[in-house]
């Protein structure tokens, strides 16, 4: 084999290895990518059915229901235009309250029930999760004190 052929073989092998590496990185990135949707977008059918995503908004007043087992909680997330029922099994953050901003990550079932595997709440009195503030802004809700702009 001539030196020229060896050089071209190394270049082709290097490009193939680089392409495989890029494909693996993009595949891992795609699996970990989590999109955010508002309750209005979920109601409009824009959210995926079999994939994890985040929703955000306010916990509707009077909507928190605790099951008899003590660890399963159901509540409504609203953007003041639409609302979505969320079921969550686990301990909620200490600052989780009705009327406050929340972001939940999970999957949507066929009957439009959002089953969350993670619930995030605000961390102080003047903070609103950016995703929740965005959801309220998109729904035309009045400006909230302390919302991230």
């Amino acid at each position: 084999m001539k030196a020229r052929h060896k050089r071209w073989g190394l270049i082709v092998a290097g490009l193939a290895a680089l392409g495989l590496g890029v494909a693996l990185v993009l595949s891992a990135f795609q699996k970990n990518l989590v999109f955010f949707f508002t309750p209005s977008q979920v109601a409009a059918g824009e959210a995926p059915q079999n994939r994890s995503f985040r929703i955000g908004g306010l916990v509707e007043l009077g909507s928190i229901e605790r099951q008899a087992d003590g660890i399963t909680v159901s509540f409504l997330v609203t953007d003041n235009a639409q609302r979505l029922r969320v079921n969550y099994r686990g301990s909620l953050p200490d600052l989780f309250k009705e009327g406050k901003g929340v972001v939940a990550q999970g999957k949507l079932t066929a009957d439009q029930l959002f089953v969350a595997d993670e619930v995030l709440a605000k961390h102080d009195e003047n903070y609103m999760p950016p995703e929740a503030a965005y959801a309220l802004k998109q729904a035309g809700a009045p400006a909230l004190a302390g919302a991230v702009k």
Side-chain angles (χ1 to χ4, degrees), residues 40-62:
S40 293
Q41 290 175 311
V42 173
E46 297 176 20
Q49 286 290 326
N50 298 322
R51 186 164 176 184
S52 182
F53 63 93
R54 288 183 173 186
I55 62 162
L58 298 175
V59 178
E60 190 167 286
L61 296 173

Side-chain angles (χ1 to χ4, degrees), residues 79-101:
D79 58 2
N80 292 331
Q82 295 289 329
R83 57 189 190 169
L84 179 66
R85 171 74 52 193
V86 175
N87 274 3
Y88 176 67
R89 184 175 170 84
S91 61
L92 290 167
D94 292 337
L95 297 173
F96 177 84
K97 294 179 183 173
E98 294 177 346
K100 301 296 181 185

Side-chain angles (χ1 to χ4, degrees), residues 1-11:
M1 184 178 268
K2 295 180 181 178
R4 182 175 159 193
H5 292 129
K6 286 182 182 177
R7 197 172 347 154
W8 276 108
L10 287 174
I11 290 172

Side-chain angles (χ1 to χ4, degrees), residues 3 9 20 37 50-51 62 77 93 102 108 119 121 123 129 132 138 148-149:
L20 179 65
F37 292 93
N50 298 322
R51 186 164 176 184
V77 174
V102 67
L108 190 65
V119 173
H123 58 76
Q138 291 298 312
V148 175
K149 297 178 179 153

Side-chain angles (χ1 to χ4, degrees), residues 19-134:
L20 179 65
V22 168
L24 290 173
V25 167
L26 291 177
S27 174
F29 182 70
Q30 181 71 23
K31 288 179 184 173
N32 293 326
L33 195 62
V34 179
F35 292 102
F36 176 81
F37 292 93
T38 65
S40 293
Q41 290 175 311
V42 173
E46 297 176 20
Q49 286 290 326
N50 298 322
R51 186 164 176 184
S52 182
F53 63 93
R54 288 183 173 186
I55 62 162
L58 298 175
V59 178
E60 190 167 286
L61 296 173
S63 70
I64 297 175
E65 299 171 2
R66 296 190 185 276
Q67 303 293 319
D69 63 4
I71 57 172
T72 303
V73 179
S74 176
F75 56 93
L76 291 171
V77 174
T78 182
D79 58 2
N80 292 331
Q82 295 289 329
R83 57 189 190 169
L84 179 66
R85 171 74 52 193
V86 175
N87 274 3
Y88 176 67
R89 184 175 170 84
S91 61
L92 290 167
D94 292 337
L95 297 173
F96 177 84
K97 294 179 183 173
E98 294 177 346
K100 301 296 181 185
V102 67
V103 174
Q105 181 174 330
K107 291 183 179 180
L108 190 65
T109 64
D111 56 349
Q112 298 297 306
L113 175 67
F114 190 81
V115 179
D117 52 14
E118 184 178 14
V119 173
L120 307 169
K122 66 183 182 91
H123 58 76
D124 73 18
E125 196 63 35
N126 297 320
Y127 178 78
M128 166 83 59
E131 293 92 351
Y134 172 78

